[in-house]
Amino acid sequence: MTTPSSHDAPAQDAMPTTKGMNYFLEDRNFQFLCESVMGADVFERARPHLTDLGAIAGDELDALAAVADRNPPVLRAWDEQGRRVDEVVRHPAYRRMEEIAFCRFGLAAMAHRSGVLGWPGRAPQVLKYALSYLFAQSEFGLLCPVNMTDSCARMLGAFGSEELKTRYLPHLTATEPDALWQGTQWMTERTGGSDVGASTTVARRGGDGRWRLWGDKWFTSVANAELALTLARPEGAPEGTRGLAMFLVPKRLPDGTKNAWTINRLKDKLGSRSMATGEVTYAGAVGYVVGDLGSGFKQMMEMVNGSRLSNAMRAAGIMRRALLESLVHARQRVAFGRPLVELPLLRSNLLSMLLDAEAAASVILNSAALLDRRDAGAAEARALARVWTPLAKYWITLRARDVAAEAMNVRGGNGYVEEWVNPRLLRDAYLGAIWEGSANVVALDVQRAIVKDRGLEALAAFMAERLGRVVEPAAKPWVDLVKSSLETVIRQTAGWAAQPAAERDLAARPVADTLYHLLAGSLLLAEGQLLREQGRGYRKLLAAGLYLKRWLEPRGPASPPFTARQIEWLEPLAEWRSIDAAALADVD
Ligand SMILES: Cc1cc2nc3c(=O)[nH]c(=O)nc-3n(C[C@H](O)[C@H](O)[C@H](O)COP(=O)(O)OP(=O)(O)OC[C@H]3O[C@@H](n4cnc5c(N)ncnc54)[C@H](O)[C@@H]3O)c2cc1C
């Protein structure tokens, strides 16, 4: 039987590092998840690439990310002859990271065409998400351009004219540095990011039939992009979001001349410093209409939703890295004659981080599988993605801030020093919860999905299916806990449509919190059942039970989140030792 154990004696002055670790091979939980969510065949083909990127992320990429973070991009507005060029000069370390992401692994291209990483057809979203999750553990900022380029290709594929597709898709999906054009999405104006309907950018159609855009965009990430999808209001179109059209604005026109937009300056940001975010003015920039003129906002929301999930994935990656750093540190660093990991209060912090990081990884990989089902045309998956996307973005990006902050604490003084990764993780984590919709806005979107799009029915059906797999008798109380909590949420939200907005708004975040835990808990329980059926013990059921008790049945005011018995399971859980059924008794 596995029981908690102590560790090899650490050095007294240990300042442990994760340098050189393979983030894939180190993460037994993630390997299990990849295998179970991808299926054996896809996993076998994916495994060498995951192993490669795991090694790069733990070594070269992390070192490059640290350098790029300290050497942010610079705007070169004019060339030596005084011509306006609006170039963003990226540091060589960032350029090398671009090569790894776009060219070596084809992260932006793989979902659109065959042949990337030798994949016979388009690679599944689960592969893209799994690789990106590893990448995010070392570099957060660059995954914005990767996701934007990927999303631009998706939008163009879905809504673009044949002419636009022929001209631009080969560039967006290129894996050769010279052929690659990065894409982006610029909506936010001074008037607001949440209130997109207040946009003031105008589109005018000239005598030559071409649309030209006039206005300012206040946050323009991937300022170096060659192609931007943007929103503007055609002259005479109605106010609000329904009057907005989507345009593709290239940096260079087909004849090679520079399009009429300028980067006014680059922003000096707290995190994601390696990636250029600017402010842009359209001064009669040529824009090509994408899709239906009256559906710009609706189309853009599809892109935003893709970015929201991508953001949740990056936040989950930050959580995992924060956990890994903390575990490695706490095992080797000694205080009061014992490794930190043996100190009860610290062990409790680590257990909390481990459970949240593990739950987030499950939600993320299953999100990707959901996208694969949606792309294959499953109506059920489309309805589910409508509510799942804001839910995942809402909770995981918020929680990543706490987990990154906790990891900083665990490393003590060194955690506050820029030579270590912790400050970067914390700074990046703060961004995830703001862009692509900040927490309140995204929680209100979960609410809208419930009130208008039957989101709760979709979620409840998914959870019922997962819980139906769980036949292990010892897990029954936790299955019942999920079911009864879900009933409570269903009763509570049934009255939402008739409630005054002020009252309803106040419930948006508490309900989203609970729903996230129910979703994550259902996934963990089903994974626990699977592991058990594979004859690999009760490790995952133990994690599921601890997670659900922690979040759905708190132990009351002023009580610790875990008992003394529960925290003893930290290391067996972290090391993926085989755990037998007796451990489950410690959950209650
Ligand atoms: C580094 C960075 C890069 C960015 N890059 C891009 C980009 O490339 N393209 C782009 O289009 N945008 C980009 N953004 C903009 C980003 O998406 C917005 O900043 C974000 O959506 C919030 O909008 P806002 O700043 O206007 O804040 P506001 O909309 O003014 O919101 C302020 C606060 O009010 C809250 N709030 C708003 N509405 C409600 C409500 N109904 N109920 C309760 N609370 C509410 C919000 O949750 C938030 O906390 C970027 C932002 C950052 C920081």
Side-chain angles (χ1 to χ4, degrees), residues 226-249:
E226 282 85 1
L227 298 169
L229 283 173
T230 200
L231 291 177
R233 195 179 311 280
E235 259 182 336
E239 289 185 357
T241 52
R242 68 197 176 94
L244 294 172
M246 180 185 262
F247 293 90
L248 181 76
V249 182

Side-chain angles (χ1 to χ4, degrees), residues 185-188 192-194 219-221 269 277 431 434-438 440-441 444:
Q185 156 213 310
W186 295 339
M187 287 186 301
T188 304
S194 313
F219 278 98
T220 59
S221 287
K269 297 175 292 183
T277 302
L431 180 53
I434 292 178
W435 64 4
E436 306 297 347
S438 45
N440 285 356
V441 168
L444 288 168

Side-chain angles (χ1 to χ4, degrees), residues 450-451 456 487-499 511:
I450 292 173
V451 174
L456 198 48
E487 285 303 317
T488 306
V489 173
I490 290 170
R491 274 197 304 280
Q492 187 185 346
T493 56
W496 267 359
Q499 265 176 12
V511 163

Side-chain angles (χ1 to χ4, degrees), residues 367-435:
S367 307
L370 182 63
L371 298 184
D372 281 325
R373 293 206 299 280
R374 179 203 63 187
D375 291 350
E380 145 274 328
R382 178 162 277 276
L384 190 54
R386 166 69 189 94
V387 62
W388 182 308
T389 299
L391 195 57
K393 154 76 163 101
Y394 165 71
W395 206 84
I396 299 175
T397 59
L398 270 187
R399 184 66 182 154
R401 298 173 167 196
D402 297 339
V403 173
E406 199 65 62
M408 181 178 270
N409 269 330
V410 171
R411 185 158 262 135
N414 283 349
Y416 199 67
V417 172
E418 289 281 352
E419 282 175 322
W420 296 84
V421 73
N422 299 84
R424 183 153 49 89
L425 291 178
L426 189 66
R427 288 188 274 109
D428 287 344
Y430 265 80
L431 180 53
I434 292 178
W435 64 4

